[in-house]
Amino acid sequence: MAAGRFVLLLAGAAAVLASLRFVEFNPALLLYPDALASMADFGQGFFPPDLSLDFLSTTLRPALETIQLATAGTALALAFGIPLSLMAAGTFHLGGGPLFEGDPPARGMRGTLRPAPYWISRLALNAMRSIPEIIWALLFVRMTGLGAAAGILGIGVAYAGIMGKVFAEIMEGTDMRPAIALRAAGASRPQAIVYGVIPGAMRTLLSYTLYRWECAMRAAAILGFVGAGGLGQQIEISMRMFEHTRTATLIIELFLLVALADVISGYIRRRFA
Amino acid sequence: MESAFELTDVHKRFRLATGGWKDALQGVTLSIRPGEFIAIIGPSGAGKTTLLRLLNLTLRPDSGDVRVSGLNPAKIGGKALRALRSRTGTIYQQHNLIPSLRVVHNILAGRLSSWSIMKALYSLISPRETTSAAEAARKVGILDKLWERTDRLSGGEQQRVAIARALIQNPSHLLADEPIASVDPSRADALIQLLRELTAEDQKTVVVNLHDVPVALRHFPRIIGLHAGEVFFDLPPEEITENALVGLYEGDEEIPEGDARDWIGEATKESLSG
């Protein structure tokens, strides 16, 4: 057993080294005098950050847009992700699952179709998740034109894929005994899930949603680069204009936004979970 | 009169995590009349919990017949099966409550079989039928805890929530899996007494799994001994001999110390004199 683990560890380390070599990652590059000098030049350009009231007041709206983009995107992801996760939790659907114990086996068409929601939702979640939000956003730009809508849809679809999968796994990992007890008392399968599984998983589900909302804040900034508005778009413009002092201010604002999201989600976690 | 539970040559086996099979029940035949007060005793692994799960219809036998109130659950499904299940209430050893919900919701969960999914969802926001929940809580003496979160309650209080959840089903039959394993030994008799009082009025059938032989001998007019998945004896307490008990617990590693005969002998003497 121990020997097996050791071999696995060695194999993992070898794979990491091989990957680094393959992509020609050379940390020494960072220490070359030329690289250091140009980095220092670039860095100096950021100081001091532009904190003039004139400029700051123009960043207020983009900052709000970033929050809106992240929040609307996360809400959309929940709207798609929750139903998909309920379909994708194997313990709820697969034959012989804990919620079916004691039920007569479904025969014929019903028996064949019983696991269908599971496979369909897993396929959909994989497809949604494997395409990053920025590519989804670029696809949606064709439909909605440049602007926040494409960004919201991009975050919504990609995050629904991630949240649906993780939610399903959280629920699969939840103690099923209360739900089985409710089935024994005559509750239906949906009732047993709503009463017996979801309340037990709620704390983790809420925590993960808040974490995703923080991630969405960063994703929203990136989406700005492809025209979805918000701080990201301002950063892109200021960099293109070589207004580095403004870029610095915008990056600080983005940092503060993510920190704010962290504080708010911490509060919600303490209050409700 | 129709039997409450009728088991005919019931077999049940489980696949073990290590591969291979465990025969939990091998050919159990039993008839339990409505209103009976029965204890099932036997060493751990004898099949007591499996038997209870067959009775509350969360397991199906591999072969043989299980009938509840005259109905064969293998022949019905959907709504009819749910209705049949709702006539049996079960109290679990680990209570199997939902810790993060308030007591009122855990009690009302016993009503789900007669609620629609919409009513169930709505009740989670604004509890329905709170009067009957309060009545059930009052019967088991936890009325003052009705609005607390269930995981804030002590183990004994949580067990009372579990009993209230079973009572609000207004079941014809009540099953309990090792109910005294989770209470203070000095409270064991009081708990069995409580179960008796709660079910006496409308003559519910009661089947209780017990590991405590003296308690079984003191309170139950009919005692079924299970050994290695078979009915070893099925007798009133006065007909259970010391030899029968020794045979029942033969090879059980859970007997704390000394010879099995000593342990059971002491226990029996104590209960017969007490």
Side-chain angles (χ1 to χ4, degrees), chain A residues 98-105 107 175 177-192 194-197 199-203 272-273, chain B residues 53 56-60 73-74 76-77 81-82 85-86 88 90 92 94 96-98 100-101 105 109-110 112-113 115-117 120-121 123-124 165 169:
Chain A
L99 292 183
F100 292 106
E101 285 182 343
D103 287 1
R107 285 178 222 287
D175 181 9
R177 285 174 307 178
I180 297 170
L182 298 183
R183 288 289 278 154
S188 68
R189 208 153 43 99
Q191 285 176 333
V194 166
Y195 264 76
V197 182
M202 205 53 170
R203 197 194 165 90
F272 296 102
Chain B
R53 294 199 58 194
N56 80 7
L57 307 180
T58 53
L59 279 184
R60 288 155 50 82
I76 57 178
L81 181 57
R82 287 177 53 198
R85 280 178 176 154
S86 75
T88 303
T90 311
Y92 299 87
Q94 314 290 337
N96 297 5
L97 300 166
I98 304 111
S100 56
L101 287 185
H105 293 303
L112 286 174
S113 72
W115 285 6
S116 69
I117 180 74
L121 281 169
S123 181
L124 280 177
R165 175 173 74 180
Q169 282 176 242

Side-chain angles (χ1 to χ4, degrees), chain A residues 13-36:
Chain A
V16 171
L17 287 176
S19 312
L20 289 176
R21 175 107 214 175
F22 186 72
V23 297
E24 293 172 3
F25 175 72
N26 182 5
L29 217 54
L30 290 173
L31 300 175
Y32 284 179
D34 282 2
L36 283 175

Side-chain angles (χ1 to χ4, degrees), chain A residues 157-238:
Chain A
V157 173
Y159 277 34
I162 300 169
M163 290 164 85
K165 180 189 153 78
V166 175
F167 279 16
E169 271 158 24
I170 290 170
M171 289 188 286
E172 280 176 353
T174 304
D175 181 9
M176 294 296 280
R177 285 174 307 178
I180 297 170
L182 298 183
R183 288 289 278 154
S188 68
R189 208 153 43 99
Q191 285 176 333
I193 292 169
V194 166
Y195 264 76
V197 182
I198 293 176
M202 205 53 170
R203 197 194 165 90
T204 323
L205 295 178
L206 180 64
S207 225
Y208 187 72
T209 304
L210 292 168
Y211 168 67
R212 270 291 137 197
W213 180 60
E214 290 175 43
C215 293
M217 214 68 95
R218 277 180 287 129
I222 294 170
L223 290 177
F225 276 69
V226 298
L231 282 179
Q233 192 157 2
Q234 300 305 312
I235 293 175
E236 197 264 336
I237 292 169
S238 67

